[in-house]
Structure formats: structure tokens, C-alpha cells
Amino acid sequence: MFEFIPVVKPEQGTSFLTDLAGISFYPMSAEFARMPQGTLLELVGNPANSYDAFTVEVRFAGVHVAHIKRVHNECIVRAWSAGLNVRAELERIRANGTLKEVLVQISYP
């Protein structure tokens, strides 16, 4: 099975859904199970990251809980560089005893 991931241009009024990366590595990620749909999440760039200068961290209440998938990082960083507002909103989670998937809507309002 494969995932089709389109290239999203950072233009005002566009949005897309993506699942988050790294949720199993951060203890606070368990908080997603208690968050209602629509919870706003903070996005923070990390250009000092040695793996990817476009890394975008996802934070909740100031705590690092996940990453945006690498395929979408550059798009978000370019949106910030163009002066666009970037919004991250919890869409839904999938869990079966443990957290399996967190979907977030990224928008450029």
C-alpha cells in the first residue's frame, strides 16, 4: 500500500490534511487522545535540525509532541517566509489502545 501526497502550494485560502510524524517518540503525544477535534496546535520551525533544515515541530501547550511530515515542511516554511499565517488544527485521531495516527488540518487562512 502507498500514500498519495500531493504538492501543496502555500497560497492563502488553501488547506490540506496530513498525519503527524514521530508521535511514538514524544511522551506528551498521549495528550492527543484527550483533545477535542478543532484543538489548535502550535507549529515551530527548527532550521538548526541536522536532518532537515525545514523541520516543523508540532507543539501543544508549549511542549513538543510531534513533527509535520517531511514532505510538507518546506511548504509551511515557505508560507511563513511569504508572510502567510499557517494554522494547524486537530482533525481526528485513530487509536486502538495506543495512539496510531493523528490527522491535522493545515491551512493558510
Side-chain angles (χ1 to χ4, degrees):
M1 192 162 138
F2 66 94
E3 179 178 13
F4 173 73
I5 301 175
V7 175
V8 179
K9 291 185 179 179
E11 296 175 349
Q12 190 170 14
T14 60
S15 66
F16 61 93
L17 285 177
T18 185
D19 56 316
L20 297 180
I23 58 175
S24 63
F25 297 106
Y26 300 97
M28 280 293 290
S29 291
E31 291 299 312
F32 284 119
R34 293 184 270 285
M35 292 179 199
Q37 182 179 8
T39 298
L40 292 178
L41 303 168
E42 181 183 3
L43 299 179
V44 178
N46 183 357
N49 185 295
S50 61
Y51 296 104
D52 182 1
F54 290 108
T55 296
V56 178
E57 298 175 355
V58 179
R59 296 182 183 193
F60 177 71
V63 178
H64 187 179
V65 293
H67 283 97
I68 295 295
K69 281 187 160 183
R70 181 177 277 187
V71 69
H72 296 303
N73 286 342
E74 188 173 351
C75 175
I76 291 170
V77 171
R78 290 192 188 283
W80 286 330
S81 296
L84 292 174
N85 183 29
V86 181
R87 181 180 170 108
E89 189 175 321
L90 181 64
E91 180 67 25
R92 66 181 175 269
I93 65 163
R94 185 172 61 89
N96 183 12
T98 60
L99 195 59
K100 302 288 185 194
E101 181 179 60
V102 177
L103 286 175
V104 173
Q105 180 171 359
I106 304 296
S107 59
Y108 307 111

